[in-house]
Amino acid sequence: METLEQRVAQARENIRAAALEAGRDPAEVTLVAATKTQTDETIRAAIRAGITVCGENRVQEMNAHLAENAYEGAKLHFIGRLQTNKVKYVVGKVSLIHSVDSLHLAEAIERQADKLGVVQDILLEVNVGGEEAKGGFSPAETQTAAETISQFPHLRLRGLMAIPPICVAAGGNREFFVKMAQLYVDIRTKINDNVSVINCLSMGMSRDYEDAVRAGATMVRLGTTLFGPRAQKAVPSHKN
Ligand SMILES: *Cc1c(COP(=O)(O)O)cnc(C)c1O
C-alpha cells in the first residue's frame, strides 16, 4: 500500500511535471494539504512527510487541532467558507485566508484585524463557474472588489482563489482555470502598487490540479489524493 510519504512525493512530482510542461518554475507552486476531517495524528504525519502548508475548512476542527499543536512545523491557511460571526476565531491565527467571498466578509476581517493590531493576508474567492449555490465574486465584479479591498489598512490582498464546478470529465475545468489566470493577471497589473504582493492564485484540487498548474496556479489544495477518500456521513442502515 502506498504510504502518505509516497503520495505526497507523487503529488509533488506531478506538480513539477505539469509546471515544466507549461514552461513554469515548479518552485512557484505551493502544495496546500486540505486537512478537513483528518486527525491530529494524520496531520502530524503529513507534516513529517514534507507538507509545509495545511488548509482548514471548518473553524471548530481547526481550533481543536490548534489546541493540540497538530500543525506545528507547517503554516496554516483557512480555505473553507467563513461566516462573519466566526471571523474572530480565524484572523491572526492563519497566515492566509483563501475564501473571502464577499465585501461584507472582508469588512468583518478588517475590523477584527484592526482590533488585534495585525494585517491579515487574504485571497478573494471568485465564483468562476457562475454557480447559483456558491458564494464568491463574479468574474465581472472581481476587479472592482480587489481595488476596494486593497485599500483596507488591515488586509493585504495576495491574490485570487477559485473552486470551479464539480466536473467529472477529465480536463473539464481547463476553461475556468484559464479564465482565472487571466483575471489574476488583470488584477496584478491594475493594482500596481501591489504587483509583488499579489502573487497567489489558488486553484486545483485532487481531480484537476495538474490542469490548474498548467494554467498558472501558484497554490493547489489537495485532500483526497494525499489522504484517501474522506469518510462519508453515516447513513442510517436498514434494520433487518
Ligand atoms: C476539501 C477541499 C479541497 C480538497 O479537495 P480534494 O478533492 O479532496 O482534493 C480543496 N479546497 C477546498 C476549499 C476544500 O474544501
Side-chain angles (χ1 to χ4, degrees), residues 9 26 38 62 124 130 160 168 178 184 225:
Q38 305 304 328
M62 185 180 94
L124 299 189
L160 303 177
V168 181
V178 169
Y184 171 67
T225 200

Side-chain angles (χ1 to χ4, degrees), residues 32-36 56-57 79-81 98-99 125 161-163 204-207 220-226 228 230:
V32 178
T35 48
K36 63 175 172 262
E56 273 301 343
N57 279 72
I79 63 176
R81 183 168 262 190
H98 290 227
S99 43
E125 181 172 347
M161 178 267 219
I163 307 173
M205 316 205 309
S206 292
R207 275 174 200 276
V220 294
R221 308 174 309 266
L222 304 184
T224 313
T225 200
L226 302 181
R230 286 178 287 276

Side-chain angles (χ1 to χ4, degrees), residues 39-56:
T39 61
D40 292 333
E41 266 329 297
T42 302
I43 292 171
R44 290 195 186 100
I47 295 168
R48 282 196 302 274
I51 288 298
T52 58
V53 186
C54 295
E56 273 301 343

